[in-house]
Amino acid sequence: MKLYTEKYIPELHVSLQPVAEIEGFPVRPGLFDVHGAMMLPVGVNFTVHTHYGTSCTLLLFHRNASTPYARLPFPEAYKIGDVYSMIVFGLDIEEFEYAYQIDGPYDPKNGLTFNRDAVLLDPYAKSVTSTRVWGGRKSGCYHARVIKDVFDWGAMPQSTRTMSDLVIYELHVRGFTFHPSSGVAHRGTFAGLMEKIPYLKELGINAVELMPIFEFDEAIAAREVNGKKLLDYWGYNTVGFFAPNTTYIANDEYNHEGTELKVLIKALHDNGIEVILDVVFNHTAEGNEKGPTFCFKGFDNKVYYMLTPNGNYYNFSGCGNTLNCNNPIVRQLILECLRYWAVNYRIDGFRFDLASILGRHEDGSPLNNPPLLELLATDPVLRNVKLIAEAWDAGGLYQVGKFPASKRWAEWNGRYRDSLRSFLKGDYWHSWEASWSISGSGDLYGGFYSDNNNNYAGYNSCVNFLTCHDGFTLYDLYSYNQKHNEGNGWNNTDGSDDNRSWNCGAEGDTDDPEVLSLRFRMIRNACAVLMCSRGTPMFLAGDEFGNTQFGNNNAYCQDNEISWLDWSLLEKNRDLFEFFRFMIAYRHRHPVIRQMLPDAVCGMEPLLTHSVNAEQVYIPNDAQTFAVSFAGYNLEAEADDLVYVAVNTHWEDVRITLPSLNSSQAWYLSVNTWGDEQGRYFYPEGEEVRIDHEFIMRPRSVAVFTGRDLYKMSDTRENCDS
C-alpha cells in the first residue's frame, strides 16, 4: 500500500481526498456506518463486516466478466470493530461489478466455514448480476452493482388504510401475465403487471401481495422431469435481500435497477392499490451443508444461520437452512432491509413467510418475547407499514392465535382456511369454528365484543383466506379430491395432503353440466363468505375467473401452463368474475362487515350468530345451516348498516327466518349463490328482492341480505320468499 502525505489545511478540505493507493487505486478509510456500496461524487464507498473473519478483499470486475481486474485488500487501518470500509476514488459505477473474499478459520464442527477463495456477494447489494435472463444458468459467481437512485416519488403520501379495509390479491409477477392470453406487451414483468392495473381497478381490489420479488436464482436447482424443465419458479430461495429480481424487468436497467418496479408501485398507488411484499427471512438459497457458498456462509456462517451443536444446519424452514433471526447482527440486517424497501420503494406492507422462525432462539427454541418481532413492531420508520405473519413454520411450530404480535402484527388465519373449507363442503362438525371465523375470529384475536386485547389488534390482526399460492386454486378446491403433483417429479409425495377439498362428483376435468354447476356454486359460496367475513380477505389471482392448476397444489417448480394464469378463462367464466366484482364492491359499501360501528338505531346487536331461526342466537355444534349478522350505524351514510349472511351446506332446501326489524326497515336479498330463474346471483342496490321474514335456502348455497330503510327503497321489486 502506497501512503500519501500532505499538510492539513482546513480551508482546502472541501471534499474527500485519498490518503493511500492500493493496487494503483487511490483510497481512504470509508463511511463505516453505511452498509453496502454507495456512489459518492469522488468514487464509491464500500462497507462490509465479518465477526469471525480475519481479513477482507474487495474484488472489482468488468461488466459480465468472471475474473476480477483488481483485488483490493482492506488494510487493518480501514477497520473499526468488525467493520471494513474503504472509499475507492475515480470509479465509474457503470464500468464495474464487485464482490468480496473473506479469510478466516475453517472449523465446520464449530460453525466456521471460511474459504478465502470463495467469491461472495455483498449482503447489502442493491443489484445482483448474473441472473438477468429467466431460466438461464448463471455464469460464474454472483456479483453486485452500485445503483444510482434518481427516482422522484414527489409528495406521494403514505396510505392510511387499516388492515380490515383491504381486499388483498395475491399474485406471482411472472405467472400473472406470462401466458400469451394475457394480451400484454411485456409478459411476465413488472411492466406487464402495470398494463393490468385497469383490470385490477375493475375487479375492485385495493392491495396486491406480490410473491417474492427479492433477487432469486430460479435456475439454482433446475432439473428436468418428463421432458419439462423445472425451476425455482415461486422464488422463495433468496439470493439478495436488498435487490429486486432483475428477471422481472422488461428492459436492462444497468446501475438503475429497481426503476421499473418503482414506476409500477407508483402507478398502483396512484390508482388506490397498496403493495405488500411476500418476504423470506427464514432461510436463504445457500441450502444445507451440501449447498453453495456465495454470501452469508462465507461472511459469518456461525452468525447468520442456526446451527446444531455439531455445526450442521437446523432446518425449520424445510429448505435446508434457517436464518438466525434473533442474533443482533441478523436482526439489524432484517430491520435495515425492511426500512430500505419501505423508504426507497414505498412498500405498504410485508407478509413474512414461515414467520414463526422469526421468533426462534439460536438453538431453535421458541422465545416468549422475540427481540426481532418487537423491534419491527415498534420501529418508527415501519410504524404504519402492515406486518403480516404466516404464523407457523416447517419445524412444527404453529402460532395462529398465539403469535407474539405486540398489537401490530396481523396473521394469515390458518384456522379460517381450514374450518371454512371443511364446513363449506359439508363437514358440519366444523360449524362453531366456521361461525367464529366469519365473525372475525374474536376467540383468537379479540374484538368480538370490543377491540381490546393484550396481544392482537382484534379483526385488524386477522387475514382471512381460503386459497393462496400454496395449495389448490379455488376452482381446483372443488374439482379434485386428491392432489395431482406428479409433474413435480417426487411421485406425488410433495404438497399437503390436508386439502379439505371436494371434486363435486368427478375428479378433474369434466363436461358433466351438473358437476360444473355445483362447482361454480361452491366457488360463489366461498367468495360470498370470504367477502362477508370480518377481518381482511385475501384470495389468489385467477380465482375470480376459475383459473386451474390442474390439481397441482404445490406448483413451486412449474414455470408453464400449470402456473401461468390463462386469461381466456376470463371471458369463458365472465359471470364468475362479475360475481367476485360485486362481492368486493358490496364489502366496500358496507363498513359494518369490516369493523365495529356505533350501535344500530334499530337495536340489533353488533354481531351475532343465528340458527335457522334468527331468534335463536346459539347454534348447535353440528349445524349444517347458520347465519351471522352485522349491525351498526354508518355515520357517513347517516343510516343503519345491517348485513345478514346465511350459509346452507346441507344438500336439501332449508327454510330460515330473518331477524325482526322496526316498521321503517326491511330485509332485501342482495346475493343468492343458487341463482334465480334469470340466472342472476346478485342484485345491485335498487334491484334487490324484499324478504319479509322467511326465506328458502336452496341446497349448498349462500344468501346475503341487506337491511334498509323502506323510504330509501321505493323502486325495489315485490316481496318473494325464494
Side-chain angles (χ1 to χ4, degrees):
M1 180 175 70
K2 179 180 177 181
L3 297 177
Y4 293 166
T5 59
E6 62 176 332
K7 185 177 180 180
Y8 178 70
I9 305 174
E11 59 269 21
L12 294 181
H13 281 255
V14 294
S15 65
L16 294 170
Q17 300 292 327
V19 299
E21 191 175 286
I22 301 176
E23 300 296 322
F25 290 86
V27 298
R28 70 170 294 132
L31 308 176
F32 289 87
D33 56 351
V34 180
H35 292 130
M38 181 177 69
M39 184 179 68
L40 300 173
V42 297
V44 177
N45 180 79
F46 298 92
T47 302
V48 72
H49 58 79
T50 174
H51 182 67
Y52 294 102
T54 56
S55 68
C56 178
T57 300
L58 171 67
L59 307 179
L60 299 178
F61 301 81
H62 292 301
R63 185 179 291 178
N64 299 322
S66 58
T67 303
Y69 69 84
R71 298 174 183 267
L72 284 68
F74 285 77
E76 278 300 306
Y78 290 43
K79 180 182 180 184
I80 295 178
D82 292 336
V83 181
Y84 294 91
S85 188
M86 177 166 57
I87 297 173
V88 182
F89 290 78
L91 289 179
D92 183 343
I93 65 171
E94 296 183 0
E95 295 180 352
F96 76 92
E97 301 165 357
Y98 75 97
Y100 294 100
Q101 288 178 326
I102 304 291
D103 198 6
Y106 184 77
D107 184 5
K109 289 188 176 180
N110 286 312
L112 304 174
T113 58
F114 290 98
N115 178 356
R116 64 184 301 173
D117 296 321
V119 177
L120 304 177
L121 178 68
D122 182 356
Y124 286 82
K126 305 302 190 299
S127 171
V128 180
T129 69
S130 304
T131 58
R132 175 67 182 92
V133 179
W134 177 271
R137 289 278 188 180
K138 67 180 178 64
S139 55
C141 303
Y142 301 112
H143 302 160
R145 288 197 190 100
V146 182
I147 68 167
K148 183 179 181 180
D149 185 2
V150 295
F151 190 82
D152 184 6
W153 291 97
M156 186 183 68
Q158 189 177 31
S159 173
T160 57
R161 284 197 191 101
T162 62
M163 276 293 301
S164 60
D165 285 336
L166 297 183
V167 176
I168 301 174
Y169 187 73
E170 189 196 28
L171 65 87
H172 186 279
V173 171
R174 179 174 171 84
F176 191 60
T177 62
F178 196 76
H179 196 284
S181 62
S182 68
V184 303
H186 303 287
R187 291 161 48 201
T189 65
F190 296 128
L193 174 53
M194 189 162 63
E195 294 179 64
K196 286 292 187 181
I197 290 178
Y199 171 81
L200 300 177
K201 288 278 289 182
E202 181 185 10
L203 179 59
I205 58 94
N206 56 14
V208 290
E209 183 173 304
L210 305 182
M211 290 173 64
I213 63 166
F214 292 177
E215 191 64 80
F216 64 90
D217 187 349
E218 69 285 346
I220 199 168
R223 54 198 172 92
E224 188 172 299
V225 174
N226 298 327
K228 286 189 175 181
K229 187 177 182 180
L230 303 185
L231 302 171
D232 180 22
Y233 169 77
W234 279 354
Y236 282 89
N237 287 305
T238 307
V239 168
F241 289 107
F242 290 79
N245 185 17
T246 52
T247 65
Y248 287 167
I249 60 176
N251 299 292
D252 289 333
E253 296 180 328
Y254 291 123
N255 305 105
H256 294 277
E257 283 84 355
T259 301
E260 185 178 309
L261 174 58
K262 292 173 183 176
V263 171
L264 166 64
I265 293 170
K266 189 175 188 306
L268 288 165
H269 285 173
D270 289 344
N271 283 277
I273 299 173
E274 296 191 14
V275 179
I276 299 168
L277 298 187
D278 191 342
V279 294
V280 188
F281 291 112
N282 57 75
H283 75 284
T284 76
E286 289 188 298
N288 59 16
E289 296 80 10
K290 298 179 180 179
T293 295
F294 59 78
C295 187
F296 299 107
K297 286 181 179 179
F299 274 101
D300 262 321
N301 184 61
K302 192 171 183 177
V303 169
Y304 287 105
Y305 293 111
M306 290 186 191
L307 302 176
T308 66
N310 62 357
N312 292 323
Y313 295 93
Y314 280 117
N315 188 22
F316 299 115
S317 68
C319 297
N321 64 52
T322 307
L323 270 181
N324 193 13
C325 295
N326 283 292
N327 177 284
I329 300 299
V330 185
R331 286 205 308 264
Q332 185 69 22
L333 178 135
I334 294 173
L335 176 62
E336 289 189 46
C337 178
L338 296 176
R339 282 180 164 185
Y340 176 75
W341 286 94
V343 171
N344 292 276
Y345 287 85
R346 304 300 173 92
I347 297 302
D348 300 288
F350 300 97
R351 177 265 184 188
F352 294 78
D353 183 63
L354 300 182
S356 290
I357 284 175
L358 278 61
R360 287 186 183 267
H361 191 266
E362 63 181 352
D363 64 2
S365 60
L367 293 163
N368 290 328
N369 297 294
L372 174 61
L373 300 182
E374 184 179 35
L375 178 67
L376 301 184
T378 58
D379 182 72
V381 175
L382 303 178
R383 178 64 182 87
N384 296 320
V385 172
K386 279 93 174 170
L387 303 176
I388 305 171
E390 183 184 36
W392 55 83
D393 65 25
L397 187 57
Y398 188 81
Q399 295 180 301
V400 171
K402 301 186 287 288
F403 192 78
S406 301
K407 284 195 172 182
R408 275 281 284 120
W409 287 80
E411 290 178 8
W412 270 21
N413 188 350
R415 200 275 301 273
Y416 183 98
R417 174 199 60 201
D418 295 343
S419 64
L420 263 301
R421 279 188 174 192
S422 294
F423 183 71
L424 288 175
K425 76 182 182 71
D427 295 346
Y428 54 83
W429 50 92
H430 289 276
S431 59
W432 279 4
E433 290 180 332
S435 64
W436 271 109
S437 296
I438 295 172
S439 304
S441 298
D443 56 330
L444 298 180
Y445 305 115
F448 186 59
Y449 294 108
S450 73
D451 294 334
N452 298 321
N453 188 279
N454 291 329
N455 187 36
Y456 290 104
Y459 42 78
N460 277 304
S461 290
C462 177
V463 177
N464 298 324
F465 69 106
L466 288 163
T467 58
C468 64
H469 69 276
D470 194 2
F472 282 142
T473 68
L474 195 54
Y475 182 84
D476 289 357
L477 188 65
Y478 298 114
S479 300
Y480 296 91
N481 284 344
Q482 307 293 333
K483 66 185 181 184
H484 293 270
N485 300 352
E486 292 83 2
N488 293 355
W490 310 116
N491 296 318
N492 207 32
T493 59
D494 63 304
S496 176
D497 292 313
D498 183 17
N499 297 295
R500 308 184 187 214
S501 61
W502 178 42
N503 64 19
C504 297
E507 187 74 358
D509 193 28
T510 182
D511 56 5
D512 187 320
E514 291 188 7
V515 172
L516 291 172
S517 175
L518 177 55
R519 284 179 179 176
F520 281 100
R521 190 184 337 137
M522 296 295 288
I523 294 173
R524 291 191 295 272
N525 291 347
C527 174
V529 169
L530 180 64
M531 294 303 159
C532 289
S533 295
R534 185 160 288 175
T536 303
M538 181 192 77
F539 64 99
L540 181 63
D543 280 348
E544 71 275 16
F545 53 74
N547 191 62
T548 178
Q549 291 181 173
F550 310 101
N552 192 317
N553 75 348
N554 188 35
Y556 74 99
C557 56
Q558 298 291 341
D559 178 37
N560 49 53
E561 290 81 0
I562 291 176
S563 296
W564 304 336
L565 265 64
D566 181 355
W567 288 88
S568 69
L569 294 172
L570 175 59
E571 289 309 312
K572 180 181 179 182
N573 300 322
R574 188 76 192 186
D575 60 339
L576 181 61
F577 169 81
E578 294 296 340
F579 185 84
F580 267 79
R581 185 170 173 240
F582 177 86
M583 290 308 310
I584 293 169
Y586 185 87
R587 179 181 181 85
H588 288 324
R589 286 197 307 270
H590 292 280
V592 74
I593 299 173
R594 310 191 304 269
Q595 60 189 312
M596 297 282 284
L597 298 180
D599 289 344
V601 173
C602 70
M604 277 187 65
E605 292 290 330
L607 178 61
L608 287 175
T609 56
H610 307 260
S611 186
V612 291
N613 179 351
E615 303 306 316
Q616 183 181 342
V617 295
Y618 176 84
I619 64 172
N621 60 9
D622 59 352
Q624 294 176 298
T625 308
F626 69 73
V628 176
S629 63
F630 303 97
Y633 186 76
N634 186 342
L635 295 173
E636 184 176 337
E638 298 182 337
D640 281 349
D641 192 2
L642 312 175
V643 174
Y644 195 78
V645 185
V647 184
N648 179 29
T649 65
H650 195 33
W651 50 87
E652 296 180 351
D653 289 350
V654 174
R655 184 179 295 272
I656 66 169
T657 64
L658 304 180
S660 299
L661 298 175
N662 61 42
S663 58
S664 64
Q665 295 174 318
W667 289 108
Y668 295 85
L669 179 65
S670 298
V671 176
N672 181 6
T673 63
W674 178 271
D676 63 16
E677 60 277 5
Q678 283 85 39
R680 294 186 298 175
Y681 305 106
F682 58 85
Y683 305 94
E685 186 172 341
E687 300 178 18
E688 298 156 307
V689 181
R690 179 175 169 179
I691 308 297
D692 281 335
H693 184 59
E694 292 185 345
F695 181 78
I696 297 176
M697 294 202 67
R698 303 307 304 274
R700 303 189 189 278
S701 68
V702 172
V704 181
F705 306 88
T706 307
R708 301 195 187 283
D709 292 338
L710 288 171
Y711 70 89
K712 294 184 178 180
M713 297 296 297
S714 57
D715 295 328
T716 55
R717 297 168 60 194
E718 295 184 0
N719 299 357
C720 75
D721 66 352
S722 63

